[in-house]
Amino acid sequence: MYILILAFLIASVISALLLTLSSLLSKKSFLDQEKSSPFECGFDPKNTSRIPFSIRFFLIAIIFLIFDIEISILLPLGIISGSLDPVSWLLVGGTFLGLVTLGLYYEWVDQTLSWIT
């Protein structure tokens, strides 16, 4: 038991020494402050951090993610096509594609996909 405690203390002391030594010898300076600040699409985050963005862009990005996930769900369906009977394979794939197509139709009718406001 004492050996474990001694090993833990030695590891802690070595880790603390290495952290202290690396922070003292690092070449970071205040000149690198601009380099380490976040850069976001050309906007200066210090002055205009809360500017509004287009909600249409956000909705189109969400729709893109949904259809991207749809593809990743449909890919295994092609891999398992040999192990399922064709009727259940078509039923599962057709139901999934039908639901996604209904969602796309709803987005089209709701004019979320329209770039023109």
Side-chain angles (χ1 to χ4, degrees), residues 56 59-60 63 67 99-116:
R56 286 206 181 271
L59 288 175
I60 289 176
I63 291 169
F67 285 107
L99 287 173
V100 170
T101 305
L102 281 174
L104 179 63
Y105 177 72
Y106 174 75
E107 295 296 332
W108 191 305
V109 169
D110 196 37
Q111 293 183 347
T112 307
L113 300 174
S114 175
W115 284 98
I116 301 170

Side-chain angles (χ1 to χ4, degrees), residues 1-112:
M1 183 70 176
Y2 292 115
I3 293 174
L4 282 174
I5 294 173
L6 182 65
F8 177 74
L9 287 175
I10 290 173
S12 298
V13 168
I14 290 174
S15 298
L17 284 174
L18 285 175
L19 283 171
T20 306
L21 186 67
S22 67
S23 67
L24 290 175
L25 296 178
S26 68
K27 293 184 177 182
K28 257 189 187 175
S29 67
F30 292 108
L31 300 175
D32 292 340
Q33 206 170 31
E34 186 66 30
K35 203 184 268 188
S36 65
S37 69
F39 180 74
E40 202 174 312
C41 301
F43 297 113
D44 187 13
K46 295 175 186 166
N47 295 335
T48 57
S49 63
R50 294 289 179 190
I51 59 172
F53 65 96
S54 173
I55 195 70
R56 286 206 181 271
F57 175 75
F58 178 73
L59 288 175
I60 289 176
I62 293 295
I63 291 169
F64 173 76
L65 285 175
I66 289 171
F67 285 107
D68 196 32
I69 291 171
E70 170 215 350
I71 290 173
S72 67
I73 290 173
L74 280 177
L75 279 176
L77 193 62
I79 294 172
I80 65 167
S81 64
S83 63
L84 289 177
D85 59 298
V87 174
S88 64
W89 184 78
L90 285 173
L91 185 66
V92 169
T95 304
F96 185 73
L97 283 176
L99 287 173
V100 170
T101 305
L102 281 174
L104 179 63
Y105 177 72
Y106 174 75
E107 295 296 332
W108 191 305
V109 169
D110 196 37
Q111 293 183 347
T112 307

